[in-house]
Amino acid sequence: MSATTEPHDSSTGLELTADVITVKASSVLDAGSVAQLSTAASIASPGAALVVDLTAVSQLSLEAAAALMTLTRRCQGDGRTVRILTSAAARRRFARLGLDVVLPLHPPA
């Protein structure tokens, strides 16, 4: 089963399958966008892995980084696998914040 929804704005997108939920952010990732990602993640089946695709993100706010950390910990606490695909800009921001060593960051596939 697979479904794709169009978000109410162009900052996030969602793709669901039985085993994986992929949420995509574009351009600027702020606290509001992460709230949308978090809401999207909450509708996935309990064992579904979470992939957060930040490959199109050029700006990442401090609030968004903190919210991603919270989302990642919550999902991992629920036993979900989490992968965060990053753009170079997002990876640099995470590194400046020291989060590159605690978040499951991956280069684009």
Side-chain angles (χ1 to χ4, degrees), residues 83-108:
R83 289 178 51 107
I84 301 173
L85 307 177
T86 59
S87 64
R91 184 172 287 278
R92 282 191 303 273
R93 179 71 165 156
F94 285 125
R96 282 193 304 270
L97 296 170
L99 296 177
D100 59 326
V101 295
V102 295
L103 287 173
L105 303 179
H106 299 274

Side-chain angles (χ1 to χ4, degrees), residues 41-56:
S42 70
I43 66 172
S45 60
L50 173 65
V51 176
V52 180
D53 185 344
L54 306 180
T55 56

